[in-house]
Amino acid sequence: MMDLIEAEHLSRYYGKYCAVNDVSFTLAKGEVLGFLGKNGAGKTTTMQMLCGNLAPSAGKIKINGYDLLNQAKAAKMSLGYLPDTPPLYKELTVQEFLLYCASLHGIAQGFRAKAIKQAQQRCGLTDVSDRLIANLSKGYQQRVGIAQAILHNPEVIVLDEPTVGLDPLQIREIRALIRELGQDHGVILSTHILTEVQESCTHVQIIHQGQLILNETIAGLNLQMDTGTLEVTTRLPCDNSSLLAIPGISSIENMSQNRIKIHHSVTANPTEQIAEYIVASGWGLQELTPVKRSMEDIFISLTQECGKS
Amino acid sequence: MIFTIASREFKNLFLSPMAWTVLAVLQVILAFLFLTQVEAFTALQPRLASLEDAPGLTDIIVPPLFGNAGIILLLVTPLLTMRLICAERRNKTLSLLLSAPISNSDIILGKYLGILGLMLLIIGLVTLMPLSLLLGAELDLGKLFANSLALLLLVSAFTATGLFMSCVAGHPTVAAMGTFGLLLLLWILDWSTGVNDQRNALFEYLSIFKHFQNIQSGLINSVDVSYFLLFITTFTVLSLRSLDKDRLHRKTRLKNTLITLAILCLLGTAAWLSTGYSAEADITRNSSNSLSLASKKLLASLPDHIQLTAYIKKDPALRSQIAQLVNRYKRHKIDLALVFIDPEAQPEKTRELAIDATGAVIVDYQGRSEKLNFIDESSLTNALLQLANAEERWVTFLTGHGERTPDGIANFDLGQFGKELNRRKIKAQALNLATIAVIPDNSALLVLTAPAVPLLAGEIELIKRYIEQGGNLLLLTDPGNHYLDALQKLLGLRQLPGTLVDSKSKLYGINDPSFVLAGDYLVHPITQGFKTLTVYPVASALTISEETDFKPVVLLKSATDSWTETGPLAGKILFDADGDEKQGPLAFAYGLSRDLGNKVQQRIVVVGDGDFLSNAYLGNVGNLDMGLRMINWLIHDDRFIDIPAKIATDKNLHLSQFSVGLIGFGFLLFIPLLLLAAGFYIWRKRRQR
């Protein structure tokens, strides 16, 4: 099957500063690719390059088989893009705005109404279609932005932080929508929230300081990140050196007198042994919580890994 | 796709009250200016009706209205264009356009055409105003169209500049300031060229106002039109290039810059070429911008360089009027140059050429020169016609009896006149019959002025024979001088006793009734096309006394309120019907002619006054011209090209009470209020959504 997106050796410089450095990846139909990175990692720049808003300083992008530079029109026909700030003409109503977008994307006159109706239904905008965008809440504005990106049923949908500013309920709806879209489109979605990737993506890429440091399926990601963290609170202070003897524990940090942080391997999960050992030693186990892994941890582990290898 | 973007842009303007307000305010200001012009015309109308070559209604109302509209739009356009790209970029909505399957040129042209739609509306509103006068007048629709076109091109150029600035600037305010600054600069370029005596061709070409005015005149010249088209293209291309800047591959950036430079060079070359090959069409109703066929033919027959030097004070309006006239000649003769000199800057030269406060234009051709105090097509063409004659001619002045001499410097002498003749290659030579008892046959004309002592009988005989043999003669006598009576008798004329006095001369501020004024000239080749007043101090009336071979035609005639005063010219003088005095109108100059066969005509002019050509009075109003015209006719150098004045057909404006109300209230109140109300309604309605 042909790849919907082929990005080869993309680089982008702002003057001397290198925002994106030699990034290559592909996206196939049915994939939802999570683009993960900290602020300033180069996510938005990559997105902008994919959508023809910025030209790469070097490298090549093909969308649905068309070169984005040389066959821009054909390439963009198969592209729906929601930038980090939704591009909305706030003086228009939702209906007017979507109609304009429909004609910009070359939807034939007769199909516009239907396409708009469908997009509004998908994004839950049917009730507000006659209101001015300026008067809508941020969440609704974000939805209009998404509606605009999926309006013309493009093969490739690029969403730059689509859930920003939405309430938890809306976030759930949008994630569901993304999963749904992923079934017969190729979707790229950038975010800095790990759970978002885990919930709605099939693939994940992590970008750090302009460089791609991970390109995996979600399953592969879980395998890759072979470290877990436990927070342990005890009545009496523990003896770290004796704990370290337990197989699977890589390091221990002292947080306070009675609290420690234990970093361990996920494959050989030592949680049970730790609990048993603490109880056996009579330190008085009060709390043992697995810490939800943050981006930070993943970066640390990945960058460390990169450093090692 | 261009149309999609353009129509969205256009509609967006009208969603907010902004465009409506702009339209309403412009309408009020321009309607006010328009109505003031109409009122001014109504006040001028009776006076204009009596003038032969007066401007018409269209000339008086349309160009100032459109000129003002241009200036106001210079201020307004930056505000309308500043948001085009800049605001999209700031609101991050540009990415919507950039990621859509449309090219950059679609975006740029769409945006441009969208805003141009509003401009068209404005121009439509402006054009509607003069059109409304069709209710009570004829209009020169060609000229009106030319003005609309000029304004459209001007505003399109403004908009293109605004679009470019909006592409480049980071903030709409900066874009507006940039646009305004650039346009003002292009506008101002014209001032510097208009005021200085030296003109800079490049600045003149770049000046946007000059081209605007050229088209406004109704003469559609390819140079002006292509200036605007190139201007618009340049800024659209630059906009396109600046929009492309962020979307370029590193490798192609240098290439892109080079392409931009190449396009700019190409446009520059096109501009340069366009000045070399110009075509034009005069679309005014009576071709008021075109030279008559006669003038064109004359220009074609002149092989050498023609130099015009205008000693005119620094009055841009007057200077541009002269420049416009000369431009019409320039189009048919490349080596014709016009230089402006401020008379105050060169006092010696001005004094030498005897140029008075109103200024004059000196025409030089092949070392001969003509001075024009009044310049229009007729006078300039005829001056060129005179100059075209390269032959040297001789005019003989009889001296030796206390006559006025052609080289004398006394008040009553004709020294100045002699010099003026010399300037036109007419050599004045003094003849004393006592030394050479023959009238030279190289002489084209014999001039006799009133002698102080009687001529000898032999001399009279000699002159009589000269006349009988067909010689041309100019005879200037004076009241009470009878030494030339014998000759006058030969010509069939008699001098009336007394001095001609005219009570009308007081009206012109002359306190001496013996100054006779002539202004309404009779039909004669000498006075054909002559419009300037002439003054004859102390003249004698003439009358036809007996039959002769000559055909006498009255050349100059005094007014009805004049008479021949036989008493002393002092104190209160009155017409005395019982005595020798005769009531006017009285002739005091005759032109006589006689066919000698072989198509040769003998020509004679007799004037009852010699002072009008004397050093003391030659400079008065049109005296010099009258003298030259007489000489030219007498020496058969009287070719005259009659160029009919172009009479405007739209001199009358008669509006009914209802039409006046409709025009006044409609433009000043109804349309602006309607616009404001529509804007307010739409704004209110949308705000509630």
Side-chain angles (χ1 to χ4, degrees):
Chain A
M1 198 183 84
M2 191 172 61
D3 286 324
L4 289 179
I5 294 186
E6 286 174 64
E8 289 170 29
H9 307 292
L10 292 183
S11 295
R12 172 73 201 193
Y13 292 85
Y14 291 107
K16 284 211 164 151
Y17 173 72
C18 177
V20 173
N21 187 6
D22 197 22
V23 168
S24 306
F25 59 91
T26 59
L27 177 79
K29 191 174 169 181
E31 286 182 0
V32 179
L33 175 63
F35 223 73
L36 207 56
K38 286 193 294 184
N39 294 333
K43 290 186 307 250
T44 298
T45 304
T46 312
M47 300 280 145
Q48 284 180 336
M49 287 194 287
L50 285 180
C51 300
N53 282 16
L54 267 182
S57 308
K60 210 170 156 186
I61 301 169
K62 269 190 176 179
I63 292 187
N64 209 8
Y66 298 105
D67 190 292
L68 190 59
L69 275 179
N70 301 330
Q71 298 159 288
K73 256 189 195 179
K76 285 176 184 172
M77 285 293 251
S78 355
L79 197 64
Y81 175 43
L82 169 70
D84 50 351
T85 314
L88 306 175
Y89 293 105
K90 302 207 168 151
E91 66 275 21
L92 299 183
T93 65
V94 174
Q95 180 72 21
E96 285 167 340
F97 175 71
L98 291 179
L99 191 64
Y100 180 46
C101 294
S103 49
L104 277 184
H105 283 289
I107 300 178
Q109 193 92 47
F111 297 95
R112 282 179 200 167
K114 205 179 137 212
I116 291 168
K117 204 173 163 195
Q118 194 182 4
Q120 283 180 349
Q121 270 169 0
R122 279 183 143 177
C123 303
L125 290 168
T126 318
D127 295 338
V128 295
S129 78
D130 273 333
R131 293 191 53 198
L132 282 190
I133 295 176
N135 296 346
L136 294 178
S137 69
K138 190 160 190 311
Y140 268 111
Q141 291 188 355
Q142 188 72 21
R143 290 200 216 182
V144 178
I146 297 172
Q148 162 274 130
I150 62 170
L151 182 66
H152 47 294
N153 204 19
E155 278 86 348
V156 179
I157 299 169
V158 179
L159 306 171
D160 199 349
E161 312 208 342
T163 55
V164 169
L166 300 183
D167 63 43
L169 201 71
Q170 290 170 330
I171 290 179
R172 258 194 14 219
E173 284 170 17
I174 295 296
R175 283 178 187 165
L177 176 64
I178 291 169
R179 275 197 299 276
E180 186 196 322
L181 289 170
Q183 282 162 14
D184 38 26
H185 299 82
V187 180
I188 295 188
L189 138 101
S190 92
T191 179
H192 55 257
I193 306 160
L194 184 63
T195 44
E196 190 153 301
V197 173
Q198 283 165 333
E199 271 187 43
S200 43
C201 298
T202 60
H203 289 69
V204 63
Q205 282 183 351
I206 295 176
I207 190 164
H208 182 67
Q209 288 176 353
Q211 273 176 311
L212 211 55
I213 52 174
L214 180 94
N215 188 353
E216 267 295 356
T217 58
I218 289 295
L221 175 74
N222 291 338
L223 274 177
Q224 275 266 330
M225 301 183 305
D226 190 22
T227 57
T229 307
L230 287 175
E231 238 182 59
V232 179
T233 313
T234 48
R235 200 161 32 80
L236 301 169
C238 310
D239 178 18
N240 290 357
S241 49
S242 48
L243 273 176
L244 270 172
I246 299 169
I249 291 182
S250 45
S251 63
I252 295 174
E253 279 176 65
N254 275 331
M255 297 182 72
S256 66
Q257 215 181 357
N258 297 338
R259 278 164 69 87
I260 52 169
K261 229 179 200 178
I262 302 174
H263 298 284
H264 62 86
S265 157
V266 178
T267 32
N269 198 337
T271 315
E272 208 180 323
Q273 287 101 306
I274 292 169
E276 276 168 14
Y277 190 85
I278 290 172
V279 171
S281 309
W283 291 329
L285 180 65
Q286 291 188 326
E287 201 182 323
L288 190 147
T289 356
V291 177
K292 260 233 158 131
R293 291 168 50 86
S294 66
M295 287 283 288
E296 203 61 25
D297 294 313
I298 298 168
F299 287 130
I300 289 165
S301 67
L302 284 170
T303 42
Q304 273 169 0
E305 245 170 66
C306 286
K308 273 180 222 160
S309 59
Chain B
M1 206 47 73
I2 294 176
F3 180 72
T4 307
I5 297 175
S7 77
R8 184 72 265 160
E9 189 64 38
F10 183 70
K11 283 185 203 154
N12 269 14
L13 284 167
F14 288 96
L15 294 183
S16 67
M18 162 94 166
W20 296 102
T21 318
V22 167
L23 281 178
V25 169
L26 279 177
Q27 174 70 23
V28 170
I29 296 173
L30 292 171
F32 178 74
L33 291 172
F34 167 69
L35 293 174
T36 339
Q37 290 286 346
V38 173
E39 201 179 307
F41 178 81
T42 334
L44 276 174
Q45 200 171 358
R47 269 202 285 162
L48 290 173
S50 61
L51 280 173
E52 192 178 292
D53 54 353
L57 175 65
T58 321
D59 297 317
I60 288 181
I61 288 181
V62 173
L65 177 69
F66 280 75
N68 285 327
I71 294 172
I72 294 168
L73 285 172
L74 174 77
L75 304 171
V76 172
T77 313
L79 299 178
L80 292 173
T81 55
M82 64 181 185
R83 298 173 51 81
L84 279 175
I85 299 290
C86 196
E88 294 244 13
R89 196 175 269 149
R90 284 182 76 79
N91 297 340
K92 314 268 181 192
T93 46
L94 192 60
S95 59
L96 182 72
L97 297 174
L98 293 182
S99 61
I102 49 179
S103 63
N104 280 357
S105 49
D106 289 340
I107 301 176
I108 291 293
L109 289 178
K111 289 266 169 194
Y112 182 63
L113 293 179
I115 205 91
L116 216 53
L118 176 68
M119 297 303 183
L120 271 176
L121 253 174
I122 294 173
I123 294 169
L125 282 175
V126 179
T127 312
L128 196 63
M129 292 186 218
L131 271 183
S132 71
L133 292 179
L134 282 175
L135 286 175
E138 260 184 82
L139 282 179
D140 185 346
L141 290 177
K143 187 146 191 166
L144 180 59
F145 171 77
N147 274 276
S148 299
L149 178 73
L151 191 59
L152 175 65
L153 288 171
L154 183 75
V155 170
S156 305
F158 286 175
T159 311
T161 317
L163 176 67
F164 169 66
M165 285 297 174
S166 184
C167 282
V168 183
H171 195 280
T173 325
V174 180
M177 295 297 287
T179 313
F180 180 68
L182 187 60
L183 292 179
L184 200 62
L185 185 73
L186 286 169
W187 194 278
I188 283 175
L189 278 180
D190 178 63
W191 300 353
S192 63
T193 56
V195 171
N196 285 347
D197 290 336
Q198 266 74 43
R199 308 175 81 94
N200 184 320
L202 179 68
F203 280 5
E204 211 166 307
Y205 181 76
L206 286 179
S207 157
I208 200 164
F209 191 53
K210 185 120 268 159
H211 297 280
F212 174 60
Q213 277 184 327
N214 284 351
I215 302 178
Q216 263 196 314
S217 71
L219 188 73
I220 314 288
N221 191 308
S222 64
V223 176
D224 301 316
V225 175
S226 56
Y227 168 83
F228 281 111
L229 295 181
L230 289 169
F231 190 105
I232 295 163
T233 317
T234 306
F235 279 103
T236 346
V237 166
L238 286 177
S239 309
L240 199 57
R241 292 277 142 184
S242 81
L243 194 64
D244 262 337
K245 215 175 63 191
D246 283 347
R247 299 166 76 180
L248 284 179
H249 221 263
R250 208 182 208 190
K251 283 179 212 155
T252 51
R253 190 161 295 177
L254 182 68
K255 195 173 118 197
N256 200 58
T257 315
L258 290 177
I259 290 175
T260 311
L261 282 177
I263 292 176
L264 288 182
C265 285
L266 212 67
L267 288 169
T269 317
W272 181 70
L273 284 176
S274 77
T275 57
Y277 304 91
S278 67
E280 61 193 10
D282 190 348
I283 61 169
T284 51
R285 178 174 289 178
N286 50 12
S287 305
S288 56
N289 291 303
S290 304
L291 227 45
S292 65
L293 195 65
S295 301
K296 283 186 212 163
K297 268 189 188 158
L298 175 66
L299 282 176
S301 72
L302 297 175
D304 289 315
H305 177 78
I306 301 170
Q307 178 68 45
L308 299 178
T309 315
Y311 290 85
I312 301 287
K313 55 183 185 291
K314 287 185 176 176
D315 174 359
L318 189 61
R319 283 188 170 196
S320 81
Q321 221 173 350
I322 293 174
Q324 248 174 28
L325 175 73
V326 172
N327 267 337
R328 285 179 217 162
Y329 284 80
K330 238 185 209 167
R331 276 181 225 125
H332 300 281
K333 184 158 176 62
I334 300 156
D335 53 350
L336 182 150
L338 170 69
V339 183
F340 282 102
I341 288 178
D342 185 5
E344 282 166 26
Q346 298 201 7
E348 300 92 24
K349 187 96 182 161
T350 313
R351 213 172 307 128
E352 188 194 320
L353 292 164
I355 289 164
D356 58 10
T358 52
V361 178
I362 308 288
V363 189
D364 285 293
Y365 180 71
Q366 291 181 339
R368 302 181 292 279
S369 72
E370 280 278 352
K371 187 170 99 183
L372 296 172
N373 290 318
F374 169 80
I375 185 165
D376 63 0
E377 190 185 339
S378 175
S379 63
L380 184 52
T381 299
N382 281 301
L384 289 172
L385 183 70
Q386 286 301 331
L387 290 170
N389 197 336
E391 257 176 78
E392 199 164 80
R393 282 127 323 151
W394 290 86
V395 173
T396 308
F397 285 72
L398 188 70
T399 55
H401 318 88
E403 289 101 339
R404 304 170 193 268
T405 55
D407 49 4
I409 51 164
N411 275 347
F412 69 91
D413 276 332
L414 306 178
Q416 276 295 333
F417 188 57
K419 266 191 209 164
E420 292 292 338
L421 289 178
N422 203 21
R423 221 191 279 281
R424 289 161 181 81
K425 292 251 164 129
I426 299 171
K427 303 280 178 199
Q429 57 183 349
L431 171 71
N432 192 337
L433 290 175
T435 49
I436 308 162
V438 65
I439 296 165
D441 34 341
N442 69 347
S443 167
L445 171 71
L446 178 67
V447 182
L448 297 180
T449 54
V453 292
L455 273 67
L456 300 173
E459 289 172 329
I460 293 283
E461 272 315 304
L462 213 61
I463 295 167
K464 273 187 175 171
R465 208 176 313 138
Y466 169 81
I467 293 171
E468 277 156 9
Q469 281 171 358
N472 298 325
L473 177 73
L474 173 63
L475 198 155
L476 306 174
T477 179
D478 280 307
N481 190 314
H482 297 285
Y483 300 134
L484 299 173
D485 280 1
L487 294 173
Q488 290 184 32
K489 199 176 165 197
L490 177 68
L491 301 172
L493 295 176
R494 189 169 62 85
Q495 205 169 326
L496 291 176
T499 308
L500 201 54
V501 288
D502 187 354
S503 59
K504 273 274 171 58
S505 54
K506 260 210 181 81
L507 291 178
Y508 295 90
I510 304 171
N511 235 342
D512 189 340
S514 65
F515 277 64
V516 180
L517 294 166
D520 291 330
Y521 300 104
L522 301 153
V523 181
H524 192 276
I526 291 177
T527 49
Q528 189 176 11
F530 191 55
K531 286 172 195 139
T532 327
L533 216 65
T534 42
V535 183
Y536 305 86
V538 200
S540 157
L542 301 170
T543 181
I544 299 168
S545 62
E546 50 202 277
E547 286 285 312
T548 55
D549 303 344
F550 295 99
K551 198 177 96 193
V553 177
V554 178
L555 200 59
L556 298 166
K557 206 185 245 180
S558 65
T560 329
D561 289 345
S562 63
W563 70 94
T564 51
E565 177 63 44
T566 49
L569 291 176
K572 200 168 168 88
I573 47 167
L574 280 169
F575 174 56
D576 175 13
D578 300 334
D580 265 348
E581 302 189 346
K582 281 247 166 81
Q583 172 82 47
L586 293 160
F588 60 95
Y590 277 94
L592 301 95
S593 57
R594 180 170 69 155
D595 281 324
L596 301 171
N598 279 345
K599 290 191 177 172
V600 182
Q601 194 183 42
Q602 181 182 12
R603 290 176 176 180
I604 294 172
V605 168
V606 181
V607 187
D609 177 39
D611 294 305
F612 82 105
L613 292 180
S614 69
N615 292 344
Y617 299 109
L618 186 70
N620 281 1
V621 276
N623 283 12
L624 169 62
D625 280 341
M626 177 57 88
L628 291 172
R629 278 163 174 269
M630 286 178 177
I631 300 279
N632 281 334
W633 181 70
L634 288 167
I635 62 176
H636 292 264
D637 192 8
D638 63 336
R639 287 175 297 155
F640 179 82
I641 299 178
D642 185 29
I643 291 159
K646 279 166 181 153
I647 298 161
T649 49
D650 50 351
K651 276 186 174 173
N652 298 312
L653 176 65
H654 300 293
L655 288 171
S656 66
Q657 210 68 26
F658 174 72
S659 311
V660 170
L662 189 70
I663 290 172
F665 282 103
F667 289 131
L668 206 51
L669 284 176
F670 185 67
I671 296 181
L673 283 180
L674 198 71
L675 288 168
L676 279 181
F680 183 70
Y681 173 74
I682 289 177
W683 174 69
R684 268 286 300 272
K685 208 178 141 203
R686 291 189 69 87
R687 200 186 52 160
Q688 288 162 353
R689 282 182 155 187

